[in-house]
Amino acid sequence: MKDTLFILLQHLLPQHLLSRLAGHLAECRTPWIKNPFINWFRKRYNVDMSQALEPNPEAYEHFNAFFTRALKPDARPLDTKPGAILSPADGAISQLGPIEHGRIFQAKGRSYGLTTLLGGNPERAEPFINGQFATVYLSPRDYHRVHMPVRGTLRETIHVPGDLYSVNQVTAAGVDNLFARNERLVAIFDTEYGPMAMVLVGAMIVAGIETVWNGQVAPTAKRPVILDRNYEQAPITLEQGEEMGRFKLGSTVVLLFGPDAVNWQDTLGAGSAVVMGRSLGQATQAQ
């Protein structure tokens, strides 16, 4: 009953208005506003500041700077095994496994369309049909920068407008097509293991999604928008483990590879804790 009411409330709330208001609050630089907010959040979610480059929470200019804080250089050592597919973020596995019949498993009894997730273009989705996916959920206490699982050259970035439901386990189990209906940013990379998609999914109160090449992405169009394409003149190549984006307030990353490209670790499943830089699986071979 409690979960049903939680989902019903999200149907009724003005999701985008609340999220934009939260964004303004999160950018407030007034010390008597931002410091209590940061300290409340830190205590409420037991945020570990010992690994932060700046461990003093009140030293950050606003809440967003605190939330997207950098870590010390040695805080996230990378798995250097050849062919390792690194976790793009700290968090927990929501689901992972094969993409079957063009659909991605969300929760028991629920799945969503690959083509819809990537903005509705069948040609964009085709290389990932019968491939593999991993969905990583970032909780409020986690480090909220997103990094490259492997080295990749950017092919395309698409902003897909949508709803802003919460993305926790309750809504994943209770809201159809959750990750394919929420606002999201799709980044397609070419890698030595074939195409890779990183989908940064927005959520309730998420005040923004940023990439290192475009900054904050918040187009006002009501349809998917290709933000950039085919950097032939000035290609953007990011190394394995390099930052590619960040969430201003937390959400989810859906990672996609093509068929026969990767094998996930057998020990991983729904609820498994993951850490950025550690291996999620192994590439089968370079393509």
Side-chain angles (χ1 to χ4, degrees), residues 16-39:
H16 287 83
L17 176 60
L18 285 176
S19 296
R20 302 313 173 215
L21 290 175
H24 289 301
L25 175 62
E27 293 285 341
C28 178
R29 289 172 166 78
T30 305
W32 63 267
I33 295 177
K34 62 101 174 174
N35 288 343
F37 185 26
I38 289 173
N39 284 316

Side-chain angles (χ1 to χ4, degrees), residues 98-105 111-115 125 128-131:
I99 301 169
E100 298 180 323
H101 308 294
R103 298 194 66 80
I104 298 172
F105 183 65
S111 64
Y112 56 94
L114 168 66
T115 300
F128 301 101
I129 292 175
N130 299 321

Side-chain angles (χ1 to χ4, degrees), residues 7-271:
I7 293 172
L8 177 61
L9 182 62
Q10 292 187 64
H11 285 301
L12 299 175
L13 286 172
Q15 299 172 347
H16 287 83
L17 176 60
L18 285 176
S19 296
R20 302 313 173 215
L21 290 175
H24 289 301
L25 175 62
E27 293 285 341
C28 178
R29 289 172 166 78
T30 305
W32 63 267
I33 295 177
K34 62 101 174 174
N35 288 343
F37 185 26
I38 289 173
N39 284 316
W40 170 84
F41 186 94
R42 179 178 59 84
K43 294 175 182 177
R44 170 67 177 81
Y45 293 105
N46 193 28
V47 176
D48 180 10
M49 296 298 293
S50 65
Q51 295 182 325
L53 189 61
E54 172 51 74
N56 178 10
E58 295 187 2
Y60 293 92
E61 60 179 336
H62 45 57
F63 179 84
N64 271 338
F66 156 77
F67 193 80
T68 60
R69 60 196 173 276
L71 300 182
K72 295 174 182 176
D74 59 349
R76 294 293 182 273
L78 306 182
D79 188 321
T80 57
K81 181 167 55 178
I85 307 297
L86 306 186
S87 175
D90 288 4
I93 295 293
S94 176
Q95 300 290 343
L96 84 171
I99 301 169
E100 298 180 323
H101 308 294
R103 298 194 66 80
I104 298 172
F105 183 65
Q106 176 177 303
K108 184 177 181 180
R110 299 183 190 276
S111 64
Y112 56 94
L114 168 66
T115 300
T116 304
L117 175 72
L118 298 182
N121 185 332
E123 293 183 2
R124 185 180 297 128
E126 194 276 334
F128 301 101
I129 292 175
N130 299 321
Q132 294 283 331
F133 81 96
T135 304
V136 179
Y137 166 69
L138 290 74
S139 75
R141 72 182 303 273
D142 287 321
Y143 168 63
H144 274 81
R145 298 192 183 191
V146 181
H147 294 251
M148 294 291 289
V150 298
R151 184 179 189 270
T153 299
L154 183 66
R155 180 196 303 177
E156 190 176 42
T157 310
I158 309 97
H159 174 266
V160 186
D163 297 322
L164 289 173
Y165 287 95
S166 171
V167 291
N168 59 24
Q169 290 182 343
V170 173
T171 46
V175 177
D176 286 332
N177 304 310
L178 176 63
F179 302 116
R181 69 189 292 175
N182 268 16
E183 182 176 356
R184 55 204 178 275
L185 182 77
V186 179
I188 309 290
F189 293 90
D190 291 311
T191 81
E192 62 180 306
Y193 313 117
M196 175 185 72
M198 299 181 71
V199 184
L200 279 59
V201 184
M204 182 77 75
I205 313 299
V206 174
I209 299 172
E210 292 186 1
T211 64
V212 296
W213 58 89
N214 265 340
Q216 182 160 331
V217 180
T220 58
K222 301 300 182 183
R223 56 181 176 78
V225 175
I226 297 174
L227 302 178
D228 39 46
R229 182 197 293 269
N230 297 330
Y231 283 93
E232 296 178 358
Q233 301 301 317
I236 294 175
T237 297
L238 301 178
E239 298 298 325
Q240 185 180 46
E242 189 173 352
E243 182 184 348
M244 63 79 64
R246 61 185 69 175
F247 290 110
K248 294 182 176 179
L249 296 179
S251 192
T252 293
V253 179
V254 182
L255 181 63
L256 307 176
F257 283 93
D260 303 317
V262 303
N263 292 318
W264 304 123
Q265 289 187 17
D266 293 338
T267 55
L268 293 177

